[in-house]
Amino acid sequence: MRNVCFVFTFLIALSHVFAQKSNNGHIKKSCLELPRIEVIPITETNTNRHYELYIKLPEGYSENNNKKHSVIYFTDAMWQIEILSATTQYILEDAILVGISWQKNIDENLKKEIGEHLSRYRDYSIRKSSNKERQTKYQFGEADGHLNFIRKDVFRYVENKYRTDDDNRSYFGYSMGGEFGAYILLAQPDIFKNYILGSPSLNNDIPLLSELKFKHKKLNANVFISYGGLEKELGSSVEKFISILKSRNDTSLFLKHVVIEGSHQTAFPMTAVQSMYWLSNRQLKI
């Protein structure tokens, strides 16, 4: 009986520790904060659009004031921060992560209708829609403007604030973020040294990308491209893009092409892990 009373008392104590209740009887909840990740508000100078940067510094960053760190920039920050944070913790522990959010000060009605990610349709796409109604709502085709924001505002903040290796920036983008990365690679390749393009949505962009094929004599880049084996239409467009890159016969371009088992959704986790492992090997060769 004494043992039963002890167990009962122990369980009561646990209930207070793990299930604290408010006055109305509901369990109090709190949000988990990922360690060492700062959320920094930033404004695009040319448009006054508000964004956030999700910045994670390596463990022990403050211990060596002379060390410079490579930076991995990525789009769709809210969707990707957790897996990239976990993966780099083990594979690229010295890298700084910088996630770029969707626009924060968007039209509230459109936000309710489409979601908080509305601005990605505008910022990551490289061509306008022929449908006037869709174009008015989504404002497709402003990738160049978003790229200028990253180059002028995001880089300026990060590289003035932290000890970064400015010659060794990496880009990670998935789906439309991959489309955006493909555009950067051909339009302004000097911005990043390493490009990770996961399942890039290029279904209607091949003609435009073909026009950019020889805009720069040398790309001087390492490129990881992947897509899911079940992504037939998207996979076909990615293969055409790979052909565009290979046709350049550019010895300054190192290309890694991977087909991952799964669909557009299920290929994402393996893309993140495999690409970070690939990137770690590229860093060792610098």
Side-chain angles (χ1 to χ4, degrees):
M1 182 67 178
R2 181 178 298 174
N3 290 338
V4 172
C5 291
F6 173 78
V7 171
F8 183 68
T9 303
F10 179 71
L11 290 175
I12 291 176
L14 282 181
S15 69
H16 285 286
V17 174
F18 294 104
Q20 295 182 10
K21 294 184 177 181
S22 60
N23 293 333
N24 61 8
H26 293 297
I27 295 175
K28 291 181 179 179
K29 298 180 181 179
S30 61
C31 295
L32 173 67
E33 295 183 3
L34 295 177
R36 303 199 314 278
I37 295 178
E38 296 181 284
V39 179
I40 307 296
I42 187 169
T43 300
E44 183 175 357
T45 302
N46 292 338
T47 64
N48 201 39
R49 293 168 180 164
H50 298 172
Y51 294 82
E52 290 178 340
L53 301 180
Y54 296 4
I55 300 177
K56 182 181 181 182
L57 300 179
E59 191 171 357
Y61 171 84
S62 60
E63 296 174 4
N64 186 347
N65 292 329
N66 296 317
K67 184 174 182 178
K68 291 188 176 182
H69 298 262
S70 62
V71 184
I72 303 171
Y73 293 86
F74 57 100
T75 46
D76 292 317
M78 178 62 76
W79 289 344
Q80 300 178 4
I81 181 64
E82 292 173 291
I83 193 166
L84 292 181
S85 174
T87 305
T88 54
Q89 180 73 26
Y90 293 94
I91 299 177
L92 281 161
E93 61 270 20
D94 286 334
I96 296 174
L97 285 179
V98 178
I100 304 167
S101 79
W102 309 304
Q103 183 186 346
K104 307 300 292 184
N105 57 335
I106 60 175
D107 181 89
E108 286 297 323
N109 292 326
L110 287 175
K111 181 178 178 180
K112 291 177 181 178
E113 178 186 351
I114 299 167
E116 294 182 353
H117 59 284
L118 170 64
S119 64
R120 73 191 299 267
Y121 299 109
R122 176 195 68 215
D123 291 343
Y124 307 162
S125 59
I126 63 179
R127 59 181 182 80
K128 298 183 182 299
S129 173
S130 58
N131 183 309
K132 291 185 179 180
E133 183 177 344
R134 282 177 55 79
Q135 181 60 34
T136 300
K137 178 181 289 189
Y138 292 96
Q139 299 179 307
F140 294 107
E142 294 193 20
D144 192 60
H146 195 59
L147 181 55
N148 287 334
F149 160 61
I150 292 173
R151 190 163 203 167
K152 294 180 180 179
D153 296 315
V154 176
F155 286 172
R156 182 185 297 129
Y157 176 83
V158 172
E159 293 170 2
N160 286 338
K161 178 76 173 178
Y162 305 104
R163 298 190 311 275
T164 63
D165 181 356
D166 303 345
D167 295 323
N168 191 23
R169 305 186 191 109
S170 298
Y171 173 83
F172 180 100
Y174 195 81
S175 191
M176 288 194 73
E179 173 188 4
F180 182 50
Y183 171 74
I184 300 172
L185 174 64
L186 292 180
Q188 298 188 43
D190 62 306
I191 293 184
F192 297 100
K193 179 63 178 176
N194 309 294
Y195 290 80
I196 297 168
L197 314 177
S199 293
S201 301
L202 304 175
N203 292 348
N204 298 303
D205 297 324
I206 297 303
L208 192 153
L209 293 172
S210 295
E211 293 176 7
L212 295 172
K213 180 168 62 173
F214 294 116
K215 181 177 180 180
H216 297 271
K217 185 176 181 181
K218 296 285 187 181
L219 295 183
N220 295 311
N222 305 309
V223 182
F224 178 102
I225 303 179
S226 67
Y227 62 88
L230 298 178
E231 299 185 89
K232 301 304 181 184
E233 183 179 358
L234 182 145
S236 177
S237 65
V238 174
E239 291 292 343
K240 291 176 182 177
F241 178 65
I242 291 171
S243 296
I244 289 173
L245 296 179
K246 288 183 176 179
S247 69
R248 290 173 46 88
N249 295 315
D250 185 349
T251 57
S252 73
L253 174 66
F254 178 86
L255 180 62
K256 176 71 171 181
H257 171 210
V258 179
V259 179
I260 296 175
E261 182 179 353
S263 64
H264 193 68
Q265 286 74 25
T266 59
F268 171 69
M270 289 305 297
T271 296
V273 174
Q274 290 190 30
S275 65
M276 290 301 110
Y277 184 74
W278 167 84
L279 183 57
S280 71
N281 287 332
R282 298 308 308 171
Q283 304 285 31
L284 291 174
K285 296 179 181 180
I286 294 176

